[in-house]
Amino acid sequence: MLDHIDIEVLKGGSALRRQVRDFVETETFHRTPETWDSFNPDFSRKVAAEGWIGMTWPKRYGGGERSALERYVITEELLAAGAPVRAHWAADRQIGPILLAAGSEYLKELLLPRIAAGECFFCIGMSEPNSGSDLASIRTKASKADGGWLVSGQKVWSGYAHRAHYMNLFARTSPFDKESRHKGVTQFVLDMSSPGITVRPIYNLANDHDFNEVIFDDVFVPDAMLIGEEGDAWGQVSGELAHERAGAERWLGTFGLLTALIDEVDAGIASGDAERIGRVVAQVWTLHRMSLSIAASVREGADLPTVAALVKDMGTELDQAVPEVARAVMTESRRLASPTGETFQRILRRSTLYAPAYSIRGGTREILRGIIARGIGLR
Ligand SMILES: Cc1cc2nc3c(=O)[nH]c(=O)nc-3n(C[C@H](O)[C@H](O)[C@H](O)COP(=O)(O)OP(=O)(O)OC[C@H]3O[C@@H](n4cnc5c(N)ncnc54)[C@H](O)[C@@H]3O)c2cc1C
């Protein structure tokens, strides 16, 4: 499924890595290992100015017509550096590809150049209070109106809905029918400044405001903002979720903590601790190679949903293991003896609070394992 690829297939990969490292070095963002999921529009515009948003898209839509492997190198380096890429993340990772595959010419021309310029940010409106894993059971509905649709219902866990310009909204346009539960669902581009939208914050375990609940009270969406065919968005959403699951962010969530841990224990480490750290470093390397293989096989039309689920499941396991290893290795006495022990503790605290969510967002572990089982013929 995941063919070995020669890293040298990416000609100029090292030069590209150097370019990103130089770029993040000169940037003034508060560079700590915890910042990659911070929402920073100024930073996103600078990334765009480098040509690093929409970089695989056609030039006529503001893209760079570069390869998936080049994009992979850029995103991996930005994430590993803890660069605050969250503002443009969803639009670059999954909305652009969906619009290119299924969007009308109008939507492509309206949105893709602005996304590529770092001026247009998206949130994702899939989950609802009673529909997460079973996405087909959504109740938010869009009813036909003159020249468009009226949306009513509720979404939940919508990351940065309070700052995004648009939501990629998943709604029912025909009543639920259990015989054909994947039919009658439609995707829309919803302008978040439309009348009738209420966004309420939900504070996470770390007391940060990232996700929200979003309530729609007869919100008007013009016909032109419908993506693809009415009632036939299930395949689009599955493709979108594969993009959401396959990226390096699925195993670089606690990379900053891991590098901080290695710096802390650099001098004098017991062999048991070295083994613990060695195991997670080996997993990082494996996932790096798997993600690179996915980027390489995208152009050959690989079975993305299955391999994406595999990477996310393994990546989550790694991301949740790193704080445990860090707690075991970085004993109280070691921390007190370290001049940077307090900073390390802050990073560890944050990673510990964020890690439980990693195996839920973008699809829970059980759901991913079901997809993998089907993909390899076990279901
Ligand atoms: C940090 C974070 C950010 C998120 N961001 C967004 C966002 O921006 N937009 C958005 O739309 N959503 C977002 N989500 C929501 C996320 O997609 C859902 O939480 C997820 O799909 C699970 O749905 P649920 O919470 O309703 O849990 P449920 O689906 O109710 O699952 C509860 C438990 O039951 C298990 N389960 C459910 N079905 C099965 C089954 N068939 N077989 C075996 N076990 C099963 C699950 O694995 C889980 O353990 C985010 C979630 C998190 C944690």
Side-chain angles (χ1 to χ4, degrees):
M1 193 181 339
L2 287 169
D3 296 333
H4 167 81
I5 63 150
D6 184 348
I7 290 196
E8 290 311 313
V9 78
L10 174 57
K11 293 210 170 29
S14 314
L16 210 49
R17 285 191 191 279
R18 188 71 267 149
Q19 211 183 323
V20 187
R21 286 177 196 183
D22 289 347
F23 170 79
V24 291
E25 282 303 324
T26 56
E27 279 307 319
T28 54
F29 62 85
H30 180 53
R31 192 162 177 270
T32 69
E34 62 202 38
T35 52
W36 84 258
D37 57 359
S38 302
F39 195 100
N40 184 333
D42 288 341
F43 183 76
S44 289
R45 276 188 280 276
K46 288 179 186 167
V47 173
E50 297 292 323
W52 294 339
I53 302 181
M55 57 189 287
T56 61
W57 306 348
K59 286 190 175 157
R60 70 179 186 284
Y61 300 127
E65 295 185 3
R66 295 174 77 175
S67 71
L69 279 164
E70 287 173 293
R71 178 178 181 275
Y72 176 80
V73 166
I74 303 281
T75 57
E76 190 179 64
E77 286 293 328
L78 287 171
L79 293 168
V85 294
R86 185 67 190 269
H88 66 266
W89 202 246
D92 181 46
R93 175 184 66 186
Q94 62 199 82
I95 311 300
I98 287 297
L99 291 176
L100 282 169
S104 63
E105 200 50 40
Y106 169 77
L107 281 180
K108 288 179 200 165
E109 285 176 10
L110 175 75
L111 297 167
L112 294 176
R114 286 164 60 205
I115 294 174
E119 286 167 1
C120 175
F121 308 131
F122 269 74
C123 61
I124 298 163
M126 290 189 194
S127 307
E128 297 184 4
N130 293 307
S131 305
S133 303
D134 182 14
L135 206 49
S137 67
I138 52 161
R139 289 172 185 217
T140 293
K141 68 172 189 205
S143 314
K144 195 70 194 88
D146 197 15
W149 302 79
L150 286 176
V151 179
S152 58
Q154 182 181 351
K155 294 289 169 183
V156 74
W157 314 123
S158 318
Y160 288 105
H162 57 304
R163 302 194 64 183
H165 302 106
Y166 294 99
M167 171 182 275
N168 184 16
L169 174 74
F170 188 51
R172 267 219 164 266
T173 42
S174 304
F176 180 79
D177 172 3
K178 65 176 185 319
E179 299 306 318
S180 54
R181 57 203 322 277
H182 294 157
K183 289 281 171 203
V185 282
T186 305
Q187 278 185 309
F188 297 92
V189 175
L190 178 71
D191 184 337
M192 289 301 286
S193 65
S194 310
I197 299 180
T198 307
V199 180
R200 292 196 194 129
I202 301 175
Y203 288 85
N204 64 19
L205 271 184
N207 207 27
D208 295 333
H209 176 200
D210 163 342
F211 37 59
N212 303 273
E213 54 180 353
V214 183
I215 295 138
F216 313 102
D217 184 9
D218 278 345
V219 180
F220 182 74
V221 193
D223 282 326
M225 303 307 262
L226 190 153
I227 309 173
E229 298 294 324
E230 181 210 327
D232 206 19
W234 188 257
Q236 281 163 220
V237 167
S238 307
E240 188 184 330
L241 283 168
H243 283 288
E244 189 176 337
R245 290 167 182 156
E249 71 272 28
R250 297 310 178 198
W251 51 275
L252 284 168
T254 48
F255 187 73
L257 174 62
L258 179 59
T259 53
L261 176 66
I262 291 168
D263 287 346
E264 287 291 331
V265 298
D266 218 11
I269 180 166
S271 64
D273 290 344
E275 187 189 325
R276 281 194 182 101
I277 295 174
R279 281 184 187 281
V280 287
V281 169
Q283 277 177 275
V284 166
W285 186 244
T286 306
L287 280 154
H288 162 75
R289 296 299 298 247
M290 286 173 74
S291 290
L292 204 51
S293 293
I294 290 183
S297 50
V298 159
R299 39 167 200 207
E300 281 129 37
D303 178 11
L304 200 56
T306 307
V307 291
L310 196 58
V311 167
K312 182 177 182 281
D313 188 45
M314 289 176 64
T316 298
E317 196 173 308
L318 166 70
D319 268 343
Q320 293 182 337
V322 171
E324 282 178 31
V325 171
R327 271 196 302 278
V329 171
M330 200 63 183
T331 54
E332 182 77 3
S333 56
R334 195 191 276 273
R335 185 168 61 78
L336 290 175
S338 158
T340 49
E342 274 312 305
T343 309
F344 178 82
Q345 198 62 12
R346 183 171 53 78
I347 299 167
L348 174 57
R349 199 177 304 125
R350 187 182 189 277
S351 297
T352 302
L353 292 173
Y354 270 77
Y358 294 157
S359 56
I360 302 172
R361 65 182 183 189
T364 66
R365 171 157 285 176
E366 290 75 18
I367 295 303
L368 297 176
R369 291 186 175 182
I371 294 170
I372 296 163
R374 195 178 308 115
I376 59 176
L378 294 177
R379 277 177 81 197

